[in-house]
Amino acid sequence: MASHPLDLRPLLEPASIAVVGASEHPGPGRQVLENLQQLRYEGDVYPVNPKYKQVLGRECYSSLNDVYQGGHRVEFVAILLGRDRVLPVLEEAAAIGARAAWAFASGFSEAGSEGEALQHKLEKLCFEKEIAFCGPNCVGLLNPVAKVGTYSAPISPSFSPGKIGAVAQSGSVCLALANSHRGIGYSLLISSGNEAVVDSTDYIAYMLDDSNTEVILAFIEQFRKPAQLIAVARRARELQKPIIVLKVGRSQLAQRATIAHTGALAGSDSVYDAVFQKYGIIRVNDLDEMLEAAEAFLKLRSNLPAGNRLGMITVSGGEIGLIGDLTNGLDLEFPDWSPKATQTFRKCLPPYSNISNPLDAWGSGKIEATYPPCMIAAAAEKHVDMLVISQDAPEGLAQAQVEQYAVVDRAAVEVAQKGGKPVVAISNLSGGLHPQLCQILDKGNVPFLQGSEEGLRAIHHVIRYAKFQREGRLPTDEQQARKGATYMDRSTGIITEYESKKVLAEYNIPCTQEVLCQTVEEAVTAATKISYPVTLKVLSPEIPHKTEAGVIQLNIKDEVTLRRAYQEIMENATHFAPHAHITGLLVQEMITGAVAETIVGISRDQDFGPVVVFGLGGTMVELFKDRALCIPPLTQAEAQEMISYTKSGRLLQGFQGQKAGDLPALIDVLIQVGKLATHWEDRIHALDINPLFILPEGQGVVAADALIEIETKISVGREDGRISE
C-alpha cells in the first residue's frame, strides 16, 4: 500500500513502551508487564488503564494522551484490548507521535468482511502516520537481546538469547518455538499474525541486517509480498544467512485455470518449491525438521561441506538399513572407503565386522576403543566431505553409557577442530538429548541433532545450501532486444501454432517444417514439397487443443489420404466450434525416430510471474504430471537438474538399452525458453511446446506443436521487490 519502507527499529528495539489495557488481573494486560520485568527491559514502561492508579507497582495512566501530557515520549504502544477499541487507540498513538504498535486482538481480516474493512482502516492509518504495526491477531514479539517482551504469553524459563531469528504467522507456532526447549537461543521471535502493515518479508529483511541474527526461521501460510521475498533472498545469499521456511499449503485444491497444459502442471505450491530452490531458501516439512536444520546451520554456517559425500559411523548394523531407507531421495552419498581406511577399520574391529559406509563401529561393545580411531580414519578420507556419527543419546542414558559416549563425542570435537572438515552428531531418538553430551559437542561447535530422519534431512539441507552458495545460481539475463515482437506485441489472447512457432524460431528453438494452406490444392502442393508422410491440422485460435476436437491427422502417406483427411478435419472443426475462425490448415512434416515426447513451456504464477515447465509430453501430460519447474532465467546446471528430476530424464539417458536422447539440444531449448519468459514476463501468460520431440544423440530436438497465450494485466518487477498492475 505504501511505497516507502517503515522503520522497524521502534517496533523491535523501542526506547519506551506504553501498555494499553494493563491490568492487575491475570491475562495479556498483566502478562506483557511481567514479561518486561522478567527480561529486565531497560526502557520506560507506561501502563495505561483508567481503572487503575498503579499496576504492578508502576504508575498507571488513564490514556496515552495523559502519558504525553505528563512529558513522556511513547515510542511503542502495546494494545491489549478488544477488536473495536484497537483503531481508536491507534489514532491516539499517532496523535502523540508513537512510531510502532502491536495489537493482540483477533476478529479482523480473518473474520469476514466487517473485520476486513476494519483492518483496511488500520492499515491505511499506519502507513499514513508511518507507524510500524505488528499484527493484529498475534501474540507479539520477543527481542531478548534488547530485553523487549511485548508478548502476551508467559516466557518459558528455557528461552534464552541466541543467534536464531524467527517469524511465524501462527501464534501457536510462535509459542511452540519459544517453548521448544531445544537448546537454541533466539535473537528475535515474532508472531506476525494478519500482517496488516509489517509482513514476514519485512521482518526477515530486518534480521538480515541484524548482527545478532545468523540463521532465520519462518513459518508461513502465504508470502504477501512475493517479489520482495526474492529481493530478500538475494540479499540473504550475499550475507550467507540461511533462511529456513516451513510453508504450509501443499494440499491446495484450487489451481488457476489456463488453456495451456503447463498451467495444470504448475500448481502454486510447486511454484513456491521452484522459487525456494532458485533463490537458496531452505524448505522444511515440520517444526522438528526446522529446529534440527537451525541447529545444523548455526554450527556449520562458517564451515559448509564441499560436497554431498558422507562418511558415517554408527553403533548398529540394523541402523544402517534404516539410514538407507531414510536417505532415499536425499542429496546424500556414501562412497566406499579407501583401502587405507578399510585396513584401519579391520585393525580396530572384530574380523566378522562388515566394512561398509555407513560403518557399524560397535565392535565387541567397547565403542570407546573402536569409535574414535574409526572416526579419525573416516574423517581423513579425501573423498568424504562430511563426517556423521550416530548414537542414541537421550536424557535417560545410564551414567556408565554417558561416560562411554562422552569419549566418542570428545573424539568428534577433536576431529572437527584438527581436520577442519564438518562433523555432525545425530541421536537416533527425537525425545531430547543428554545435557552432558550436549555440553561436550556445544563447546566444540559440533551440531548435535535429534531424530534420525530429522537429522539426516537437516544434513541434506546444509549440503544443498552449500552447493547453492558454491554455484551462485542467480543469473542476470543479458540485456537483449525482445524477439518475436511482431506477434507478442500484437494483441491479447491466443497466438496460433503457426505464429507461436515463428516466435520460437527467433529464439533458435527448432520447429517442424510446415506450410500454412487455405485450400486442399495448396495442401497437396505443400505435402509434395515437404515429402510424405505429413501431418494435417486446423489452425484456429478458438481450437487450441486439436486432438480432442478431431482436427488433426497424423502419418498421411499419399495425396488420396490427404484429400480425405482435409475434408474430415474441416467438418470436425465446424462441428466442434461452429463459430471458430479458421486461419487455415497446416501441412507439417512427420517426425520419426524420436527417443521421447516431452513438454516444455511457461506458466504464469499470480505471485511470482513466469515459470518454466518441463516434463513428459504428448496427450497424457496432465494425467502423469511428470514435471519439473524452474524460475527463469535458467543456467545450464538448472536446465540439467530439471531434466534429471523427471521420468523423462531417465528415458533420455538410454533407458533399458534404448537410444539416448540429445540432452545438450534439450538443455539449450530450456535455456532459450527461460530467456523468452524473462524477456516477455509482462506479456506472456502461458507457452506450450507439446510435444517437443527429443531425437537421438547429436540429432537435436524438434517442436511439433506450440501455443502461446498473451495477457497485459500483470507486470512483475522482481529486481526491485515490487509488483505493479
Side-chain angles (χ1 to χ4, degrees), residues 707-721:
L707 173 72
I708 295 176
E709 291 181 65
I710 295 297
E711 66 176 334
T712 57
K713 293 181 181 178
I714 302 174
S715 175
V716 178
R718 288 202 292 263
E719 294 301 320
D720 60 5

Side-chain angles (χ1 to χ4, degrees), residues 64 87 152-153 190 224 277 302 334 420 488 519 553 562 572 606 609 719:
L64 287 174
L87 190 58
S152 61
I190 301 164
R224 303 175 193 276
Q277 182 170 342
S302 60
F334 296 92
M488 300 292 287
T519 67
Q553 289 198 24
L562 177 68
N572 289 344
Q606 62 182 358
E719 294 301 320

Side-chain angles (χ1 to χ4, degrees), residues 183-491:
I184 59 176
Y186 293 95
S187 55
L188 284 164
L189 183 62
I190 301 164
S191 168
S192 60
N194 289 10
E195 300 186 347
V197 178
V198 182
D199 84 334
S200 300
T201 51
D202 297 320
Y203 292 121
I204 294 172
Y206 184 91
M207 292 176 195
L208 289 176
D209 290 325
D210 177 27
S211 61
N212 297 308
T213 302
E214 294 184 357
V215 178
I216 298 169
L217 310 182
F219 177 90
I220 301 296
E221 296 167 20
Q222 179 187 9
F223 280 106
R224 303 175 193 276
K225 301 174 185 175
Q228 184 179 331
L229 171 66
I230 292 174
V232 165
R234 285 180 178 272
R235 178 150 174 74
R237 179 184 178 275
E238 294 173 3
L239 298 172
Q240 296 186 0
K241 287 191 177 184
I243 300 174
I244 304 170
V245 170
L246 175 48
K247 167 72 175 67
V248 297
R250 288 186 186 274
S251 59
Q252 181 178 357
L253 297 178
Q255 293 185 354
R256 295 172 304 285
T258 180
I259 295 174
H261 289 288
T262 46
L265 291 179
S268 61
D269 191 71
S270 296
V271 175
Y272 266 107
D273 274 337
V275 170
F276 293 159
Q277 182 170 342
K278 178 82 173 186
Y279 295 100
I281 296 173
I282 300 102
R283 185 175 194 174
V284 295
N285 296 306
D286 57 38
L287 293 176
D288 290 324
E289 185 180 335
M290 171 181 274
L291 290 171
E292 298 318 303
E295 164 72 4
F297 276 105
L298 193 61
K299 299 286 177 57
L300 298 178
R301 176 173 169 249
S302 60
N303 187 25
L304 294 171
N308 68 340
R309 300 166 300 180
L310 305 184
M312 191 166 186
I313 314 292
T314 77
V315 292
S316 165
E319 187 181 352
I320 292 174
L322 175 62
I323 290 166
D325 289 343
L326 294 178
T327 54
N328 185 34
L330 302 183
D331 190 9
L332 305 176
E333 293 183 8
F334 296 92
D336 292 336
W337 302 115
S338 70
K340 182 179 179 181
T342 300
Q343 185 178 12
T344 300
F345 299 150
R346 293 203 181 281
K347 288 180 180 178
C348 297
L349 300 172
Y352 52 79
S353 298
N354 180 33
I355 307 302
S356 64
N357 187 13
L359 177 71
D360 175 7
W362 175 256
S364 57
K366 297 181 179 180
I367 62 173
E368 64 271 25
T370 58
Y371 228 85
C374 288
M375 197 186 309
I376 293 169
E381 294 282 78
K382 292 182 179 179
H383 63 293
V384 166
D385 302 307
M386 177 187 285
L387 179 64
V388 181
I389 61 173
S390 177
Q391 60 188 52
D392 53 305
E395 293 185 65
L397 281 178
Q399 188 58 35
Q401 199 168 15
V402 172
E403 293 170 2
Q404 189 180 43
Y405 282 163
V407 175
V408 174
D409 292 341
R410 291 190 187 96
V413 169
E414 184 178 354
V415 167
Q417 292 177 341
K418 288 185 176 179
K421 193 172 290 185
V423 178
V424 176
I426 298 178
S427 172
N428 51 28
L429 298 169
S430 56
L433 300 168
H434 198 282
Q436 284 181 246
L437 302 179
C438 283
Q439 187 176 24
I440 294 169
L441 293 168
D442 278 344
K443 285 184 177 179
N445 204 41
V446 173
F448 200 3
L449 310 179
Q450 56 179 351
S452 294
E453 181 170 12
E454 294 89 344
L456 290 167
R457 292 194 66 84
I459 291 170
H460 160 83
H461 293 312
V462 168
I463 284 170
R464 292 289 295 177
Y465 178 79
K467 183 179 181 183
F468 171 79
Q469 289 288 2
R470 287 194 307 272
E471 295 181 352
R473 297 185 181 187
L474 294 181
T476 301
D477 190 40
E478 65 270 24
Q479 296 299 312
Q480 295 179 343
R482 302 203 290 189
K483 302 174 184 178
T486 302
Y487 308 101
M488 300 292 287
D489 272 335
R490 189 180 57 197
S491 64

Side-chain angles (χ1 to χ4, degrees), residues 148-175:
V148 174
T150 52
Y151 191 71
S152 61
I155 300 174
S156 167
S158 64
F159 185 83
S160 60
K163 296 293 186 179
I164 305 289
V167 56
Q169 289 177 344
S170 162
S172 166
V173 168
C174 187
L175 295 178

